[in-house]
C-alpha cells in the first residue's frame, strides 16, 4: 500500500464511514492486546516488593476495582457506539462540548505518550540485537506500526490479535515453566493466601494501587465502537471477557513467578519474568526475549489505533478540524488522523522526556474514569431512553467514581 500517495479523491470527510468488521473474538483480542502487555512484564517485581507472597491477591483486588468502571463502559459504549467514546459519553452526560473535547484530547494524548514510551522500549531491545541507533529504530517501529494501522481495521486488529496471541503465549509459558519446570525457590501456593486480619493488608492495598495500572487499557475498546459488529451485544461481552482473562493471566503469572524465584531477587528485578528462565538454556531465554519485544511492539500498534480513532471521532463531531475526519476510500480507515498520530508519537519519542510523561498517563486515565462514571450517573438520572443497550445498576458508576477518585488521589502521594 502506497500511503504516501493518498489524494483528496481517495479521502472524504463524511461519505465514507468506518467499516464494522470486529466481532467478539477479535475485539476481545484487541482488548487483551492493549491491556496485557508491558505492565505485567515489569510490575510483578514491584508488587512483590510491597505485598510479598500475597502479590497475586493484589492483582485480584485491582481487577475488582477496575470492574466497576468496566461495567460503566459496557453500558456507555452500547448507548453511544461511536469513536472517541469517552468524549461522547461526557458530552452526553454533561452537555459541555469543551469538556468532551478536553477528555477526548486527554485520552488521545495518553495513547500517544504510551505508544511513544513503548516504542522507545521496543527500540532499546532491538538495539541490543542489531546495534542500529535507537533513534532510527524508534522511528522505524512507529512508522511500520502506522502503516499497519492505515492498512485497515480488520487487517490491523488481526495483526494485533496474532501478536497478542504470541504475547499471551509467552505468559502461559511463564506460568507452565514456573509451576512445572523451574526448580521451586520461592513460596508455596498455600503461603500466598493471606490471613483475614493483620498488617499485611497494608502492603496488599499499596500493591493493588500499583497493580491497577496493569489493567489500564480495556477502556480503549470503546474507541473502536464504530467498527464493531452488533455493538449492543459485542462490546459488553468483549469488555468483560478482556477483564476476566487479564485477571486470570495476571494472578497465575504472578503466582508462578513467586513459586520459581526467590522474593529477594524478584523484588529488585526490572525484568522479573525473565528470572523464571534462569535455569533454562540460552535459546529459551532468547525466545522469551523475542516474545517481550513482540509484546511491546503490539502496544505501539494498538495505542496508535486507539488515538487515531479518538481524533477522528472528535473531528467527526466538529470538535477538531474536519480534515482529521477524512476516511480513506481504499482502506476505510481515518488516514489523516492516523498520520497525525504517527508524527506526534515520533516527536514525543524523540524530543520529550517520555518517562515523566508516561508517569502522568495513568493519572490522566483515572481522571477520565471519574468523568465517565459521573456522566453515566447523570444519564441515568435523566431517565432510561429505551432501546437495545447494556444496562448496569446505578450503584456501579457510584462505586466507579469513588474507587477512581481514591486511586487518582493516591497517585499524587
Amino acid at each position: 500500500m502506497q500511503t504516501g500517495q493518498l489524494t483528496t479523491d481517495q479521502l472524504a470527510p463524511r461519505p465514507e464511514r468506518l467499516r464494522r468488521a470486529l466481532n467478539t473474538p477479535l475485539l476481545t483480542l484487541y482488548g487483551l492486546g492493549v491491556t496485557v502487555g508491558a505492565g505485567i512484564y515489569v510490575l510483578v517485581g514491584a508488587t512483590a516488593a510491597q505485598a510479598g507472597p500475597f502479590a497475586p491477591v493484589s492483582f485480584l483486588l485491582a481487577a475488582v476495582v477496575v470492574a466497576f468502571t468496566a461495567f460503566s463502559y459496557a453500558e456507555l459504549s452500547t448507548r453511544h457506539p461511536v469513536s472517541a467514546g469517552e468524549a461522547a459519553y461526557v458530552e452526553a452526560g454533561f452537555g459541555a462540548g469543551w469538556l468532551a473535547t478536553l477528555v477526548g484530547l486527554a485520552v488521545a494524548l495518553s495513547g500517544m505518550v504510551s505508544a511513544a514510551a513503548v516504542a522507545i522500549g521496543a527500540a532499546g531491545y532491538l538495539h541490543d540485537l542489531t546495534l542500529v541507533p535507537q533513534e532510527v529504530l524508534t522511528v522505524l517501529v512507529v512508522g511500520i506500526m502506522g502503516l499497519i494501522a492505515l492498512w485497515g481495521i480488520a487487517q490491523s486488529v488481526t495483526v494485533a490479535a496474532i501478536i497478542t496471541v504470541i504475547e499471551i503465549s509467552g505468559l502461559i509459558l511463564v506460568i507452565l515453566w514456573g509451576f512445572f519446570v523451574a526448580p521451586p525457590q520461592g513460596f508455596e501456593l498455600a503461603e500466598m493466601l493471606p490471613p483475614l486480619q493483620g498488617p499485611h493488608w497494608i502492603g496488599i492495598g499499596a500493591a493493588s494501587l500499583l497493580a491497577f495500572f496493569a489493567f489500564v487499557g480495556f477502556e480503549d475498546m470503546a474507541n473502536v465502537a464504530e467498527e464493531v459488529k452488533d455493538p449492543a451485544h459485542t462490546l459488553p461481552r468483549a469488555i468483560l471477557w478482556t477483564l476476566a482473562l487479564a485477571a486470570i493471566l495476571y494472578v497465575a503469572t504472578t503466582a508462578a513467578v513467586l513459586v520459581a524465584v526467590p522474593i529477594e531477587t524478584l523484588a529488585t528485578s526490572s525484568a522479573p519474568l525473565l528470572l523464571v528462565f534462569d535455569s533454562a538454556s540460552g535459546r529459551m531465554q532468547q525466545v522469551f526475549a523475542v516474545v517481550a519485544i513482540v509484546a511491546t511492539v503490539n502496544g505501539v500498534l494498538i495505542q496508535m489505533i486507539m488515538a487515531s480513532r479518538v481524533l477522528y471521532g472528535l473531528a467527526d463531531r466538529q470538535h477538531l478540524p474536519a480534515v482529521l475526519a477524512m476516511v480513506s476510500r481504499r482502506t476505510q480507515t481515518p488516514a489523516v488522523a492516523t498520520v497525525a498520530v504517527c508524527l506526534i508519537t515520533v516527536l514525543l519519542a524523540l524530543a520529550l522526556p517520555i518517562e515523566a510523561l508516561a508517569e502522568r498517563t495513568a493519572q490522566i486515565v483515572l481522571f477520565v474514569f471519574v468523568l465517565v462514571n459521573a456522566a453515566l450517573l447523570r444519564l441515568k438520572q435523566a431517565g432510561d431512553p429505551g432501546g437495545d443497550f447494556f444496562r448496569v445498576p446505578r450503584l456501579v458508576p457510584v462505586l466507579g467514581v469513588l474507587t477512581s477518585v481514591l486511586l487518582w488521589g493516591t497517585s499524587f502521594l
Side-chain angles (χ1 to χ4, degrees):
M1 175 181 141
Q2 298 177 346
T3 55
Q5 298 180 2
L6 286 174
T7 59
T8 54
D9 65 322
Q10 293 176 290
L11 302 171
R14 292 293 304 181
E16 293 293 333
R17 308 303 298 174
L18 301 180
R19 179 179 299 153
R20 293 196 180 276
L22 302 180
N23 54 23
T24 300
L26 268 181
L27 187 59
T28 301
L29 284 170
Y30 173 88
L32 286 171
V34 76
T35 304
V36 178
I40 188 61
Y41 278 85
V42 300
L43 283 178
V44 172
T47 54
Q50 296 187 359
F54 310 127
V57 178
S58 296
F59 278 98
L60 192 58
L61 288 179
V64 172
V65 171
V66 173
F68 297 120
T69 297
F71 275 104
S72 292
Y73 268 88
E75 175 165 340
L76 286 165
S77 63
T78 55
R79 277 182 180 248
H80 305 281
V82 294
S83 296
E86 291 93 342
Y89 311 154
V90 170
E91 186 171 22
F94 293 95
W98 68 269
L99 185 58
T101 302
L102 176 63
V103 168
L105 290 175
V107 172
L109 178 62
S110 70
M112 289 183 282
V113 170
S114 177
V118 173
I120 291 172
Y125 281 115
L126 289 169
H127 172 72
D128 291 339
L129 294 176
T130 64
L131 300 182
V132 175
Q134 187 167 336
E135 293 79 7
V136 174
L137 291 170
T138 300
V139 174
L140 284 175
V141 167
V142 175
I144 292 171
M145 294 303 104
L147 289 174
I148 294 174
L150 280 169
W151 187 13
I153 186 62
Q155 294 88 341
S156 56
V157 173
T158 297
V159 170
I162 293 171
I163 296 175
T164 299
V165 170
I166 296 172
E167 179 181 12
I168 292 174
S169 297
L171 294 181
I172 293 174
L173 179 60
V174 170
I175 293 168
L176 295 176
W177 200 274
F179 280 132
F180 303 111
V181 180
Q185 303 180 65
F187 297 99
E188 296 182 0
L189 287 176
E191 296 178 277
M192 300 179 197
L193 298 175
L196 294 179
Q197 295 182 344
H200 52 273
W201 283 102
I202 297 176
I204 293 173
S208 294
L209 296 175
L210 183 62
F212 161 81
F213 299 113
F215 287 94
V216 170
F218 76 88
E219 72 281 359
D220 292 348
M221 300 165 72
N223 293 307
V224 294
E226 286 190 36
E227 294 154 289
V228 173
K229 298 177 180 178
D230 188 17
H233 297 94
T234 300
L235 277 163
R237 291 170 183 165
I239 289 173
L240 299 180
W241 270 113
T242 296
L243 182 59
L245 291 173
I248 292 170
L249 283 169
Y250 287 172
V251 171
T253 299
T254 307
V257 175
L258 285 168
V259 166
V261 181
I263 187 68
E264 299 81 8
T265 305
L266 179 62
T268 58
S269 174
S270 59
L273 298 191
L274 195 57
L275 297 175
V276 174
F277 301 98
D278 274 354
S279 62
S281 65
R283 183 176 296 275
M284 175 62 73
Q285 295 179 14
Q286 291 174 351
V287 167
F288 188 77
V290 170
V291 170
I293 293 172
V294 170
T296 55
V297 169
N298 196 34
V300 177
L301 173 59
I302 291 180
Q303 291 290 354
M304 289 176 63
I305 293 173
M306 178 277 290
S308 65
R309 269 54 178 183
V310 173
L311 295 182
Y312 160 83
L314 289 172
D316 195 44
R317 282 184 285 283
Q318 301 178 342
H319 294 306
L320 289 178
V323 67
L324 292 170
M326 287 185 173
V327 175
S328 168
R329 288 195 177 129
R330 181 185 300 172
T331 64
Q332 289 185 272
T333 57
V336 177
T338 302
V339 171
V341 167
C342 285
L343 293 176
I344 294 171
T345 301
V346 168
L347 289 175
L348 286 169
L350 296 180
L352 296 177
I354 295 302
E355 292 81 2
L357 288 173
E359 291 175 358
R360 297 292 178 262
T361 301
Q363 295 172 342
I364 295 172
V365 171
L366 284 167
F367 173 70
V368 171
F369 280 6
V370 171
L371 290 177
V372 166
N373 281 290
L376 179 56
L377 273 175
R378 289 177 64 91
L379 288 172
K380 284 184 171 295
Q381 290 171 354
D384 192 329
D388 183 19
F389 61 85
F390 186 81
R391 291 169 173 82
V392 298
R394 189 172 297 185
L395 180 62
V396 169
V398 170
L399 293 173
V401 168
L402 292 176
T403 54
S404 297
V405 166
L406 176 63
L407 288 167
W408 183 71
T410 305
S411 67
F412 288 96
L413 298 178

